[in-house]
Amino acid sequence: MDFSRMCPKYESSIDIIGKKWTGLIIRVLLDGPKRFKDIKEQIPNMSDKMLTDRIKELEGLDIIVRNVYPETPVRIEYELTPKGKDLRVVIEAIQAWGERWMPAP
């Protein structure tokens, strides 16, 4: 790997994962499909609008899929696509790094 110059694919990847709240949403969904309120419960400091915006963004990038179940009332769940699930190793590596190097809150 050549670290002497910037790779456009790496830069694009960091732009996605490094965006505020995105990594947290992905981490929550690594546990399986979740409803909006369940995601919000695990990331309480994020506004509903921001969560909606990030979900739409991640849907557009084919990282998250929105599943609508025609029940009464209608149930909507979000889950990671195979592309999103591939981020597991990245998220786990960040978690391990944080546990090793970040001070306790």
Side-chain angles (χ1 to χ4, degrees):
M1 207 175 280
D2 180 9
F3 293 113
S4 66
R5 54 194 175 102
M6 192 51 58
C7 169
K9 288 185 176 188
Y10 176 83
E11 192 173 352
S12 295
S13 301
I14 286 296
D15 285 346
I16 293 167
I17 296 170
K19 197 171 249 185
K20 188 167 175 102
W21 307 113
T22 298
L24 298 177
I25 295 167
I26 292 167
R27 188 177 186 280
V28 167
L29 291 175
L30 281 170
D31 192 38
K34 300 271 186 293
R35 297 173 111 178
F36 187 94
K37 69 178 184 66
D38 298 325
I39 299 169
K40 185 75 173 85
E41 256 178 35
Q42 288 190 299
I43 314 172
N45 295 330
M46 181 177 28
S47 71
D48 288 358
K49 182 183 179 342
M50 182 57 67
L51 179 54
T52 299
D53 290 348
R54 286 294 182 267
I55 286 173
K56 285 180 183 174
E57 234 177 279
L58 292 168
E59 280 182 279
L61 294 166
D62 191 36
I63 292 173
I64 289 178
V65 65
R66 179 181 192 252
N67 296 312
V68 180
Y69 300 95
E71 302 169 350
T72 305
V74 172
R75 181 170 50 106
I76 298 170
E77 289 183 341
Y78 300 94
E79 70 177 309
L80 296 172
T81 63
K83 181 178 177 180
K85 289 176 184 174
D86 263 3
L87 289 167
R88 177 178 291 278
V89 293
V90 175
I91 300 300
E92 288 175 348
I94 293 169
Q95 179 73 44
W97 183 88
E99 287 176 15
R100 180 172 182 186
W101 296 104
M102 300 306 295

